Amino acid sequence: MPLVPYVPEEEATGEVRAVYDEILASRGLTRVPNFWRAIAHDPAYLRAEWEKLKAVMAERLLDRRTKEIIAVAVSATNNCDYCLHSHTDNLRAMGMTDAELVELLAVVDFFNGSNAVASGLKVDYEPPVSEGGPGPAAG
Amino acid sequence: MPLVPYVPEEEATGEVRAVYDEILASRGLTRVPNFWRAIAHDPAYLRAEWEKLKAVMAERLLDRRTKEIIAVAVSATNNCDYCLHSHTDNLRAMGMTDAELVELLAVVDFFNGSNAVASGLKVDYEPPVSEGGPGPAAG
Amino acid sequence: MPLVPYVPEEEATGEVRAVYDEILASRGLTRVPNFWRAIAHDPAYLRAEWEKLKAVMAERLLDRRTKEIIAVAVSATNNCDYCLHSHTDNLRAMGMTDAELVELLAVVDFFNGSNAVASGLKVDYEPPVSEGGPGPAAG
Amino acid sequence: MPLVPYVPEEEATGEVRAVYDEILASRGLTRVPNFWRAIAHDPAYLRAEWEKLKAVMAERLLDRRTKEIIAVAVSATNNCDYCLHSHTDNLRAMGMTDAELVELLAVVDFFNGSNAVASGLKVDYEPPVSEGGPGPAAG
Amino acid sequence: MPLVPYVPEEEATGEVRAVYDEILASRGLTRVPNFWRAIAHDPAYLRAEWEKLKAVMAERLLDRRTKEIIAVAVSATNNCDYCLHSHTDNLRAMGMTDAELVELLAVVDFFNGSNAVASGLKVDYEPPVSEGGPGPAAG
Amino acid sequence: MPLVPYVPEEEATGEVRAVYDEILASRGLTRVPNFWRAIAHDPAYLRAEWEKLKAVMAERLLDRRTKEIIAVAVSATNNCDYCLHSHTDNLRAMGMTDAELVELLAVVDFFNGSNAVASGLKVDYEPPVSEGGPGPAAG
């Protein structure tokens, strides 16, 4: 159960109504997702958050799928159930398979682990000294 | 300053020597990065960590660049200096520009923020109810 | 289900009994909240935690409502269900509305997001160079 | 050293120029803080982030000082140097003393600690059963 | 409900079959725990993760019980339900009592709290200046 | 540089003086560590924190070395420089070697990684179904 009631679509007016309509239109949804209905108690924040999502997720230099992958990586690190469901659903709709999803999480695993060691031992970074180009990341 | 001395290359023997040689060979490096030299005090862990890195970062279903992007997303969320340097350096070597890197962090920003709200308000997830396919993620 | 049974009030003796009685008296409760009943397996810790709570939440320079707001901000960042429920209930009892609670979480959202970018890009802080006094925080 | 160069004010054009001018005007600054100059490599994100900051930090139902306190609570929990400096500087400019700042951090301490225990023992929340109104938070 | 189906034991072949057999044999289990069945969609990662677990949890210089305690401390800090259950079950099987478990969590509480203050106030570390040997940790 | 000045020992009076004296006496220190001098701006919190440290770190059911190990595990997970230095120094004073410290961090690595996967894939926990007793943790 959420800590605030969801602002119902039929009661939405003004800025909330306007954002709800944009959300519905942007994806052909027939219902506004609960995240937006929860934050709609603060219309100025609702608007700013929606504008930021559009700006951030728009394909400019990185493609949409990569951005959904980043969303899952961050949400797994933070252990956010809602966001994990939402963004794995998005990736599923783009065709991501079970094997790809686990391969994604394997990378999330490795870096959550090695982050704690690199920070925990206070390892100094030095740029790689090599003869060649990029290869397997060495930590 | 690290909390343990780095195991010098010239003193490495046995399993440590074997892993060091693989690390050097894999990227044409002339020096083993400090992360590996720090954990070399535990040779069994050094070996397992190196095997896992190879398994996890190998291109199977996701490409290497996507995996480096995940590394940066996780490391920014955890605030790991060493890993941020290491993996942005890797992405730079693959041609990533300043604009791409900031666009990547913009996505990391959005989801670290929205994760805290979705969890903080305990919003229930419901699969999107729509008429169409994937579009901009609605939270 | 908790990972330890709650120490029942009718079985509490000694230090546990003393702390339970203080908890009940301090708020006119008729039942000791589960948090305290869970940690009562370690009476010395129970006592120290209760003393710290009293010291930390007492109104000295910051008022109680501000402290409950901080409790919610931290608990949302850490995704702690128990603490979110407990401290939003406390704020509700002080009259906090849905709109205020979402406005609170909006700030939590913004800084969880911008923290990850400021740390992720390793931005250097410099004190603001201005002609005037405080205004909107510039990040 | 930042991982991207700061976009210099004298080179800013278009959307970046417009946001820079708003930032300078909003606080009587003579220099754009580094956070904004770092993210300016992605002008759409820069704009959205600035609009969100204005929306989130504007005094609606919570006052500005409370919002700066939330900023510090979140930034301490996430260990973000830049944001800690920025928002304690803002609070200092509003008159916050050393004693108030430590009292603030004492609350941050308590809840980071108790969050880990409440989640770690998987304590069930039950609404307080009491005869009266709000008192010291019982965890 | 998991975000990927568990790979059933009766369908496991090749590397997955080999790792499953090792897991079953290592503890006299009659069923592969869900964690391993979830990640089995990526056989290379499954193998590497299993090898790392064996290397990391093997008794070399630290005993197994201490390692399970570390597992609980980390999992409580990260709020990971699965891992909390798994490793408190392991400790229970080794004889850990309710009182010991709460005493463990008390330490996790203290340091999650004091970490946030030490980082939040940016306290400088200086090695202790003393006349004698180790005693109660002073922060 | 800390965000508050350290309360000097020669200016300490009342409760602060009393706690400082206990800290010095408890370890034969000739100087109060900076952590305590930073929080001394709030004497009630200083006292409660010190009492909690004594309660939490006292040997009851877990020994002191195990508690210092937990301190390092939590501090590495949270990336707290001050606490990492302080508690690895304590462990060094108890004789911990480089190899033991890295073995400790290897466990911290593994669980920070596997926590993110178990939570990220939302794996359901089921108690192990086995014929025998405890063995290597199977995730």
Side-chain angles (χ1 to χ4, degrees):
Chain A
M1 267 235 322
L3 296 177
V4 293
Y6 302 124
V7 176
E9 296 177 38
E10 54 278 17
E11 294 176 16
T13 56
E15 188 74 303
V16 175
R17 180 73 262 156
V19 175
Y20 277 14
D21 287 343
E22 283 188 46
I23 291 170
L24 294 172
S26 72
R27 307 177 70 187
L29 296 172
T30 56
R31 189 175 173 149
V32 176
N34 287 342
F35 178 81
W36 303 104
R37 299 201 300 147
I39 69 173
H41 293 282
D42 181 346
Y45 166 48
L46 172 68
R47 166 58 71 189
E49 187 77 344
W50 174 245
E51 293 300 325
K52 184 171 165 183
L53 180 73
K54 286 191 294 182
V56 159
M57 295 304 274
E59 296 206 333
R60 285 193 299 281
L61 304 170
L62 302 182
D63 60 67
R64 181 58 188 265
R65 186 168 174 274
T66 299
K67 293 183 172 189
E68 294 287 348
I69 286 171
I70 296 170
V72 169
V74 170
S75 302
T77 300
N78 288 330
N79 191 7
C80 177
D81 271 12
Y82 185 96
C83 311
L84 283 163
H85 273 120
S86 174
H87 296 283
T88 53
D89 273 2
N90 286 348
L91 283 167
R92 295 294 199 184
M94 291 172 186
M96 183 167 270
T97 63
D98 294 331
E100 287 170 312
L101 188 55
V102 173
E103 190 171 322
L104 191 175
L105 265 300
V107 184
V108 171
D109 170 338
F110 187 84
F111 290 102
N112 272 286
S114 60
N115 281 191
V117 171
S119 295
L121 291 175
K122 300 184 60 47
V123 182
D124 299 307
Y125 181 71
E126 292 177 331
V129 181
S130 71
E131 310 150 11
Chain B
M1 267 236 323
L3 296 178
V4 292
Y6 302 124
V7 176
E9 298 176 39
E10 55 277 17
E11 294 176 16
T13 57
E15 188 74 303
V16 175
R17 179 74 261 158
V19 175
Y20 277 14
D21 286 344
E22 283 188 45
I23 290 170
L24 294 172
S26 73
R27 308 176 70 185
L29 295 172
T30 53
R31 189 174 173 149
V32 176
N34 287 341
F35 178 81
W36 304 104
R37 298 201 299 147
I39 69 174
H41 293 283
D42 181 347
Y45 166 47
L46 172 69
R47 165 58 71 189
E49 186 77 346
W50 174 245
E51 292 301 323
K52 183 169 165 185
L53 179 74
K54 285 191 294 182
V56 159
M57 296 303 274
E59 298 206 333
R60 285 191 301 278
L61 303 170
L62 301 182
D63 60 67
R64 180 60 189 261
R65 185 168 173 274
T66 299
K67 293 184 172 189
E68 294 286 349
I69 286 171
I70 296 169
V72 169
V74 170
S75 302
T77 299
N78 287 331
N79 191 8
C80 178
D81 271 13
Y82 185 96
C83 311
L84 283 163
H85 273 119
S86 174
H87 296 282
T88 53
D89 273 2
N90 286 348
L91 283 166
R92 296 298 197 180
M94 291 173 185
M96 183 165 271
T97 63
D98 294 331
E100 287 170 311
L101 187 57
V102 173
E103 191 171 321
L104 189 175
L105 266 300
V107 183
V108 172
D109 170 338
F110 187 85
F111 290 103
N112 272 288
S114 61
N115 280 192
V117 171
S119 296
L121 292 174
K122 299 184 57 51
V123 182
D124 297 309
Y125 181 72
E126 292 177 331
V129 182
S130 71
E131 309 151 11
Chain C
M1 265 236 321
L3 296 177
V4 293
Y6 302 125
V7 176
E9 298 178 37
E10 55 277 17
E11 294 176 16
T13 57
E15 187 75 302
V16 175
R17 181 73 263 161
V19 174
Y20 276 15
D21 287 342
E22 283 187 46
I23 290 170
L24 294 172
S26 72
R27 308 178 69 187
L29 295 172
T30 54
R31 189 174 172 148
V32 176
N34 288 341
F35 178 80
W36 303 104
R37 298 201 300 146
I39 69 173
H41 293 283
D42 181 347
Y45 166 48
L46 173 68
R47 166 58 72 187
E49 187 76 346
W50 174 246
E51 293 299 325
K52 184 171 165 184
L53 180 73
K54 286 191 294 181
V56 159
M57 295 303 273
E59 296 205 334
R60 286 191 300 280
L61 303 170
L62 302 182
D63 60 67
R64 181 58 189 264
R65 186 168 173 274
T66 299
K67 293 183 173 189
E68 293 287 349
I69 286 171
I70 296 169
V72 170
V74 170
S75 302
T77 300
N78 287 330
N79 192 7
C80 176
D81 271 13
Y82 185 97
C83 311
L84 283 162
H85 273 120
S86 174
H87 296 283
T88 54
D89 273 3
N90 286 348
L91 283 167
R92 295 296 197 182
M94 292 172 185
M96 182 167 271
T97 63
D98 294 332
E100 287 171 311
L101 188 55
V102 174
E103 191 171 322
L104 191 175
L105 266 301
V107 183
V108 172
D109 170 338
F110 187 84
F111 290 102
N112 272 287
S114 60
N115 281 191
V117 171
S119 296
L121 291 176
K122 300 184 57 51
V123 182
D124 298 307
Y125 181 71
E126 292 177 331
V129 181
S130 71
E131 309 152 11
Chain D
M1 269 235 321
L3 295 177
V4 291
Y6 302 124
V7 175
E9 297 177 40
E10 55 277 18
E11 293 176 16
T13 57
E15 189 73 302
V16 175
R17 180 74 263 159
V19 175
Y20 277 14
D21 287 343
E22 283 188 46
I23 290 170
L24 294 173
S26 74
R27 307 177 70 186
L29 295 173
T30 54
R31 189 172 172 149
V32 176
N34 287 342
F35 178 81
W36 303 104
R37 298 201 299 147
I39 70 174
H41 292 283
D42 181 346
Y45 166 48
L46 172 69
R47 166 59 71 188
E49 186 77 345
W50 174 246
E51 292 300 324
K52 183 170 166 185
L53 179 74
K54 286 190 294 181
V56 159
M57 295 304 273
E59 296 205 334
R60 287 191 300 278
L61 303 170
L62 301 183
D63 60 67
R64 179 60 189 263
R65 186 167 173 274
T66 299
K67 293 184 172 189
E68 294 286 350
I69 286 171
I70 296 169
V72 170
V74 170
S75 302
T77 299
N78 288 330
N79 192 6
C80 176
D81 271 13
Y82 185 96
C83 311
L84 283 164
H85 273 120
S86 175
H87 296 282
T88 53
D89 273 3
N90 286 348
L91 283 167
R92 295 297 197 181
M94 291 172 184
M96 182 166 271
T97 62
D98 294 330
E100 287 170 311
L101 188 56
V102 173
E103 192 172 322
L104 189 176
L105 266 300
V107 184
V108 172
D109 170 339
F110 187 84
F111 290 102
N112 272 288
S114 60
N115 281 192
V117 171
S119 296
L121 292 174
K122 299 185 55 53
V123 182
D124 297 308
Y125 181 71
E126 292 177 330
V129 181
S130 71
E131 310 151 12
Chain E
M1 267 236 321
L3 296 178
V4 292
Y6 302 124
V7 176
E9 296 177 40
E10 55 278 17
E11 294 176 17
T13 56
E15 188 75 303
V16 174
R17 181 73 263 159
V19 175
Y20 277 14
D21 287 342
E22 284 187 44
I23 291 170
L24 294 172
S26 73
R27 307 178 70 186
L29 295 172
T30 55
R31 189 175 173 146
V32 176
N34 288 341
F35 178 81
W36 304 104
R37 298 201 299 146
I39 69 174
H41 293 282
D42 181 346
Y45 166 49
L46 172 68
R47 166 58 72 189
E49 187 76 346
W50 174 246
E51 293 299 325
K52 183 171 166 185
L53 180 74
K54 285 191 294 182
V56 159
M57 295 304 273
E59 296 206 335
R60 284 191 300 280
L61 304 170
L62 302 181
D63 59 68
R64 181 57 189 265
R65 186 167 174 274
T66 299
K67 293 183 172 189
E68 293 287 348
I69 286 172
I70 296 169
V72 170
V74 170
S75 301
T77 300
N78 287 332
N79 192 6
C80 176
D81 270 13
Y82 185 96
C83 311
L84 283 163
H85 274 120
S86 174
H87 296 283
T88 54
D89 273 2
N90 286 348
L91 283 167
R92 295 296 198 183
M94 291 173 186
M96 182 167 271
T97 63
D98 294 331
E100 286 170 311
L101 188 56
V102 173
E103 191 172 320
L104 189 175
L105 266 301
V107 183
V108 172
D109 170 339
F110 187 84
F111 289 103
N112 272 286
S114 61
N115 281 191
V117 171
S119 295
L121 292 175
K122 300 184 58 49
V123 182
D124 298 308
Y125 181 71
E126 292 176 332
V129 180
S130 71
E131 310 151 12
Chain F
M1 266 235 324
L3 296 177
V4 292
Y6 301 125
V7 176
E9 297 177 39
E10 54 277 17
E11 294 176 16
T13 57
E15 188 74 304
V16 175
R17 180 74 261 158
V19 175
Y20 277 14
D21 287 343
E22 283 187 45
I23 290 170
L24 294 172
S26 73
R27 307 177 71 186
L29 295 173
T30 54
R31 189 175 173 148
V32 176
N34 287 341
F35 178 80
W36 303 104
R37 298 201 299 146
I39 69 174
H41 292 282
D42 182 346
Y45 166 49
L46 172 67
R47 165 58 72 187
E49 187 77 346
W50 174 245
E51 293 298 324
K52 184 171 166 184
L53 180 73
K54 285 190 295 181
V56 159
M57 296 302 274
E59 296 204 335
R60 285 191 301 280
L61 304 169
L62 302 182
D63 60 67
R64 180 58 189 263
R65 186 167 173 274
T66 299
K67 293 185 172 189
E68 295 287 348
I69 286 171
I70 296 169
V72 169
V74 170
S75 302
T77 300
N78 287 331
N79 191 7
C80 176
D81 271 13
Y82 185 95
C83 312
L84 284 162
H85 273 120
S86 174
H87 296 283
T88 53
D89 273 3
N90 287 347
L91 283 167
R92 295 295 198 181
M94 292 172 185
M96 182 166 271
T97 63
D98 294 331
E100 286 171 310
L101 188 56
V102 173
E103 190 171 322
L104 189 175
L105 266 300
V107 184
V108 172
D109 169 339
F110 186 85
F111 290 102
N112 272 287
S114 61
N115 281 192
V117 171
S119 296
L121 291 174
K122 298 183 60 49
V123 182
D124 298 308
Y125 181 72
E126 291 176 332
V129 181
S130 71
E131 310 150 13

